[in-house]
Amino acid sequence: MTATTTAHAPAPDLTTVVQLAYEGAWFTLCERSLLDPGRGVAALLPDGRQVAVFLDRAGRAYAIDNRDPFTGAYVLSRGLVGSAGGRPFVASPLLKQRFDLATGACLDDDEVAVEAFELREA
């Protein structure tokens, strides 16, 4: 009996990336596989702004401004991720104010918010 081998084409690249709506186009932030549920990462936009990118425990991706409006420090990506009333939030690691990941609204001060960005996976 002789063995035959079959040449296989390389597997297609099925890497999913997270993209942010930016100046009328989609800007790639990172590969989705680099995001850990419940943890944030910071990403730099072409204009120099920082965004905090999160993957919640249900697998949904979010991006908000990384600047904590209460202190001016770029730290929200290092905050603690949780949920309140079914809404995911991040608590600033400095003064612990919570920001809704979908809207950017501060859950502890109605007059304060950070920018929330539209994301998609491609």
Side-chain angles (χ1 to χ4, degrees):
M1 175 186 249
T2 57
T4 59
T5 59
T6 306
H8 294 283
D13 182 8
L14 299 177
T15 303
T16 301
V17 295
V18 176
Q19 297 179 322
L20 180 140
Y22 179 78
E23 295 187 354
W26 291 101
F27 176 74
T28 298
L29 294 173
C30 65
E31 292 180 9
R32 187 181 192 281
S33 63
L34 296 175
L35 299 175
D36 291 324
R39 302 196 74 152
V41 297
L44 190 61
L45 298 180
D47 64 6
R49 287 187 297 160
Q50 291 183 27
V51 294
V53 185
F54 300 91
L55 193 64
D56 71 10
R57 299 201 190 284
R60 289 180 298 270
Y62 299 91
I64 60 172
D65 193 320
N66 195 35
R67 183 177 176 275
D68 180 338
F70 291 94
T71 65
Y74 292 86
V75 296
L76 292 181
S77 62
R78 295 175 177 233
L80 301 172
V81 177
S83 65
R87 303 284 305 178
F89 68 80
V90 63
S92 172
L94 299 178
L95 300 176
K96 309 300 185 238
Q97 285 89 358
R98 299 169 300 152
F99 297 92
D100 185 301
L101 291 177
T103 66
C106 180
L107 302 178
D108 303 300
D109 187 333
D110 292 340
E111 296 182 14
V112 178
V114 295
E115 185 174 359
F117 298 89
E118 180 184 359
L119 294 181
R120 75 173 185 182
E121 294 182 23

